[in-house]
Amino acid sequence: MAHIPPLFLESTIPKFNYEQVIPILSDSLESGGDSHGEILEGEREPFTYVLFPWFVNALGIVVFFLLTRYIHKLPYTAVMFILGTAMGVAVEMLDGTDQLSESIAGYADIDSELIFLVFLPGLLFNDAFQVNFHLFAVGFWQIMLLAFPGVLAGTTLTALVGYFIFPFNWNWNLSMAFGAILAATDPVAVSSLLNEVGAPPRLKMHISGESMFNDGSSVVFYQIFKNLYLYETGKEGVGENIDFGQGVSLFAQGALGAAAIGMAFGLGLLCVLYNLSRRLEREENVIQVAATIAIAYLSFYVSEELLGFSGVIAVVVTGITTRAFGAGMINDPHLMGSFWILVEQLLNTVLFTIGGVVWGVVISRTDERPEFGGVFGGTDWGYLILLYVLLNAIRFLLIFGFYPLVSRIGLKSNVREATFISFSGLRGAVGIALAISLESEIFAATANEPDAFVFREQASTAFGMVGGIALLTLLINGTLAGPLIIKLGLVKSSKTREKVLEKVNEEIRDHATDDLLHLLTDSRFKDVDFAVVSEHVPMLKKLNLEQLKKAIRRNKDSAPLAGYREPNLTNLLPYLVSQSPGKTSEMSESMEEIDRDFVRVAQSVLVMKHSTLNVPRSDHFSKSVRSAFAPELTTSETSHSGSSDPETPEDNPPPEQKFKESSPDEVASSAFEIRLIFIEALRFEYNEQNRKGEIDGREGIIHHLLLQSADFAIDSANRGEPLNDWETLFIAEQKYLHFT
């Protein structure tokens, strides 16, 4: 039995007045019938709407575990879409009556308005709230160029495919609505990849910024052409006949009006964050988080439902405004970030699964076009593959068509970045929501009209194509984006960055070793198996005897003399000795030397404590540390190190000599990388000071200006100019004063 949208069912249900219903219920009760079972067709139990989303999220936990442990290449959202498709096909073909099947069927018939109102505000606000405002401001005109003229061009080219190539007899308005749906890109799978591989911030801004605003413009275009298509059904009160002038006016009103609404809600949210200033009260921090999600959904609702503007653009502008001026007002950034990560996970999991369910229902119907084996037969699958190829070609044509302008303004770009941006145009959340909207509205408008069957057939086919494109782009483009970005050299790690990462790993390992030794001084952990510890703390897997010696000396050097306890190395040394069998005696000698040094220092301290003489401090201990555990720091006094073959100056030249032997390009590249790392460290420290309350983010815009000065310093570093961070602080201040 084929699924029929709920609006179609509702229109076929006979309408009873109150006087008719009461006798029926009374007779049922008197006859001992179960009134709970007397439910009118189309009505569902409450569990129908509760079971599915939480079942899907539980399933998502299993999928996440498998993908992160065993199948790293597949995007999470693509797998959830596939599972949703399997659910939709099963519900349609098997016609199950269990509670899970009923719940899945309920979401297969979900109202398109719910998709917009429940899922999009949270996902879009989270994307906008993560934006680097400085990069967004610099690349604003690039983003607008791709999000408005670019979307219109993409919509038109895709419409030409539907109108001239597809054999479905689509008219121009349906073809344009179809093109607008597929013009909305979703970088959810690519964004996680960019963060994972450490892609340049400029590339991330190009992709995320374009996606946020082309979602808004594609929705506006879709609304215009959907109304024109609905008007052609001839049903009174359905659709609207819009001429060219009205279309331009509606687009301008929808986009600009939504931006104004978003700005107003953003400023209102800033006022709320500013007044919730009691940083140490956890409840107030939670209320700040609640305020962000409440304002996000309200801005979307007011703009989309009450004023008829674009809710997508409104919520995006709200998020960007809050990010730009409210970052320093957030009491607990960790809590805020964790909450929105959770929201994104839950909403993406359910939305992509719903999209798969509806698509599975559509492609498995068998009672609407029997000559093709259902809505989707062999011919349709062939045209789906053709559409995928053509959409990728259109995407490349658009990006490189605008490349002469994009590469010269704002953030600029290069051919490699343009290639990756072209390939990463995945379709997802917004496109699925719009396709569901088109199908449900067409079914509602043509209910009980046999002559309008062709409209329902066309809408189902259009949704089948959109769902197939979402699946193909998630599976193919999302999976191949990782190898492509590496092949293009967009995340090629420089030698300087590799050295920095190596040093960071060493620091993490040293801290982990220090903590391990501290725990081993406790008798409770004397029988701990180091093999098990190293499995849970990967940084300790490569621990060797020399590193252990350094850690023991650090441990003694930092411990109070009276309170020092020897770590129990009984279960640790055998593993390290097995890795370095020839250094057992060396380890014993070094341990004895450490003990002798420690005793001598302790004795000197006792002498100082009980003597009135000014006993000078001996530096023998520090020299032995330098020679024994950092031979590269000194070329003398190596007799204290316990090393039988110390490095000679010829083997280990000083840093100055290494610097002189480097090529000019290597020196310039290293200096550039180090400057960028320094600026990022400076930015981190600004955020830390704000988190600790050392910088008051509410007094003026101090925190905002400091972050802006770091952004300007990055611009200076990219141009090869001096950083002059203090001067850039005044530049940021002047720009803010000019803006206000």
Side-chain angles (χ1 to χ4, degrees), residues 8-150:
F8 177 72
L9 288 172
E10 291 171 3
S11 63
T12 61
I13 297 172
K15 304 297 182 182
F16 298 98
N17 59 37
Y18 186 77
E19 289 76 8
Q20 290 175 320
V21 174
I22 293 298
I24 295 175
L25 295 177
S26 300
D27 293 341
S28 176
L29 290 172
E30 291 173 1
S31 62
D34 183 7
S35 61
H36 181 71
E38 300 292 332
I39 301 175
L40 295 178
E41 185 181 2
E43 189 176 332
R44 289 189 170 92
E45 294 282 4
F47 73 79
T48 301
Y49 304 102
V50 176
L51 176 60
F52 176 79
W54 298 115
F55 170 77
V56 165
N57 273 290
L59 188 62
I61 296 171
V62 178
V63 171
F64 177 83
F65 179 83
L66 294 176
L67 293 182
T68 54
R69 300 303 192 277
Y70 306 107
I71 315 173
H72 300 283
K73 300 297 183 182
L74 287 178
Y76 172 79
T77 50
V79 176
M80 296 311 299
F81 190 92
I82 293 173
L83 292 176
T85 302
M87 294 179 196
V89 171
V91 167
E92 180 69 16
M93 302 296 293
L94 302 179
D95 197 21
T97 58
D98 58 282
Q99 291 187 352
L100 181 58
S101 297
E102 290 184 33
S103 186
I104 295 172
Y107 277 86
D109 296 334
I110 191 171
D111 192 329
S112 60
E113 288 295 320
L114 286 178
I115 294 285
F116 278 94
L117 294 173
V118 174
F119 294 96
L120 294 190
L123 293 173
L124 293 169
F125 184 87
N126 179 59
D127 290 340
F129 195 62
Q130 306 302 324
V131 162
N132 182 316
F133 181 71
H134 174 71
L135 292 179
F136 171 77
V138 174
F140 178 78
W141 292 112
Q142 287 173 305
I143 294 171
M144 294 300 106
L145 189 65
L146 293 174
F148 291 97

Side-chain angles (χ1 to χ4, degrees), residues 166-456:
F166 285 175
F168 307 133
N169 297 318
W170 291 354
N171 60 27
W172 182 246
N173 291 324
L174 176 59
S175 298
M176 285 294 288
F178 178 73
I181 292 172
L182 291 177
T185 58
D186 184 358
V188 59
V190 177
S191 295
S192 59
L193 167 71
L194 296 179
N195 293 326
E196 179 181 340
V197 300
R202 181 178 70 177
L203 179 61
K204 290 190 282 188
M205 176 50 59
H206 278 310
I207 294 175
S208 61
E210 179 212 354
S211 173
M212 286 187 298
F213 281 91
N214 76 12
D215 285 349
S217 59
S218 63
V219 170
V220 176
F221 286 131
Y222 162 77
Q223 295 288 356
I224 293 173
F225 290 102
K226 178 203 68 176
N227 284 327
L228 285 168
Y229 181 64
L230 288 173
Y231 183 78
E232 295 175 357
T233 63
K235 191 171 183 179
E236 186 177 356
V238 175
E240 185 179 356
N241 189 19
I242 304 172
D243 59 28
F244 179 78
Q246 289 176 312
V248 173
S249 176
L250 286 173
F251 181 83
Q253 291 176 14
L256 299 179
I261 294 298
M263 182 71 72
F265 274 93
L267 294 176
L269 180 55
L270 290 175
C271 293
V272 173
L273 296 177
Y274 180 85
N275 287 284
L276 294 172
S277 58
R278 297 175 181 175
R279 186 184 297 269
L280 299 181
E281 290 189 12
R282 185 163 182 81
E283 285 188 18
E284 196 141 315
N285 300 344
V286 172
I287 295 301
Q288 275 196 337
V289 175
T292 58
I293 193 168
I295 296 298
Y297 277 85
L298 284 175
S299 64
F300 188 93
Y301 177 80
V302 170
S303 181
E304 183 82 19
E305 300 296 328
L306 298 185
L307 301 178
F309 299 148
S310 170
V312 173
I313 294 178
V315 74
V316 166
V317 173
T318 300
I320 292 175
T321 303
T322 308
R323 176 67 177 181
F325 303 104
M329 301 178 188
I330 297 173
N331 297 335
D332 191 342
H334 178 73
L335 175 64
M336 183 73 73
S338 298
F339 172 79
W340 280 104
I341 290 174
L342 173 63
V343 169
E344 181 182 28
Q345 173 69 17
L346 294 176
L347 294 182
N348 267 327
T349 299
V350 178
L351 178 59
F352 278 88
T353 309
I354 289 176
V357 167
V358 179
W359 190 62
V361 168
V362 169
I363 64 175
S364 58
R365 288 175 182 161
T366 58
D367 59 346
E368 290 188 10
R369 292 205 308 172
E371 67 273 20
F372 288 140
V375 172
F376 249 71
T379 304
D380 297 312
W381 288 105
Y383 279 107
L384 174 61
I385 301 300
L386 176 62
L387 176 62
Y388 170 76
V389 174
L390 292 177
L391 280 178
N392 279 288
I394 290 172
R395 175 76 177 171
F396 273 86
L397 178 63
L398 289 174
I399 298 299
F400 281 94
F402 286 99
Y403 179 76
L405 282 176
V406 171
S407 61
R408 288 173 170 81
I409 61 175
L411 293 171
K412 300 181 174 55
S413 186
N414 55 49
V415 174
R416 293 178 300 161
E417 289 181 350
T419 302
F420 184 78
I421 293 170
S422 302
F423 187 79
S424 62
L426 282 66
R427 274 66 173 182
V430 175
I432 290 172
L434 293 178
I436 293 175
S437 169
L438 178 65
E439 189 192 31
S440 69
E441 291 196 41
I442 291 298
F443 270 78
T446 59
N448 277 340
E449 296 185 15
D451 295 339
F453 172 77
V454 64
F455 291 100
R456 296 193 294 274

